[in-house]
Amino acid sequence: MTINEIKEAALAFKANNTQELSDKMRELKDNNLSFIGCIVFVQYNQRLSLLEARKKTLELDTWTVDEKAEYIASYNLMMSEFQDNEDED
């Protein structure tokens, strides 16, 4: 799916509760949508900021404990690299 297709699908999907959103995430994940793509879907579907969408996406029961830990570690590494670059400037 392209980013525009993800956004269109997110705006068309109506989640009546968190479980329905989790089920949709599982479907998208099973169809090989990346974690970032899932965040974009949640962001547009729930009309959240990127930070809020990332947090909500991780809270869904779509991910295993190991997957969550991997995503959090990657995020923390990325943020520390951004901070290091800002400190150098």
Side-chain angles (χ1 to χ4, degrees):
M1 291 177 90
T2 68
I3 192 78
N4 286 333
E5 290 170 334
I6 295 168
K7 291 175 183 180
E8 288 174 14
L11 294 174
F13 179 74
K14 303 298 179 210
N16 294 312
N17 55 51
T18 301
Q19 187 58 53
E20 287 181 5
L21 184 58
S22 289
D23 292 344
K24 183 65 174 180
M25 283 299 95
R26 191 169 297 105
E27 175 188 327
L28 293 170
K29 179 183 166 201
D30 290 347
N31 285 311
N32 298 316
L33 186 64
S34 68
F35 181 68
I36 299 298
C38 290
I39 292 172
V40 170
F41 186 94
V42 170
Q43 180 183 22
Y44 276 79
N45 181 262
Q46 300 292 298
R47 294 174 174 78
L48 301 172
S49 71
L50 183 57
L51 184 61
E52 293 170 320
R54 181 189 150 280
K55 181 180 175 188
K56 182 156 186 89
T57 301
L58 280 171
E59 290 172 351
L60 298 173
D61 65 6
T62 308
W63 319 103
T64 66
V65 171
D66 290 342
E67 287 171 327
K68 286 181 185 182
E70 181 181 338
Y71 299 137
I72 291 168
S74 294
Y75 174 80
N76 289 337
L77 176 61
M78 179 183 66
M79 294 307 290
S80 70
E81 288 176 357
F82 283 142
Q83 185 63 44
D84 290 346
N85 287 334
E86 286 182 6
D87 291 344
E88 291 175 3
D89 292 337

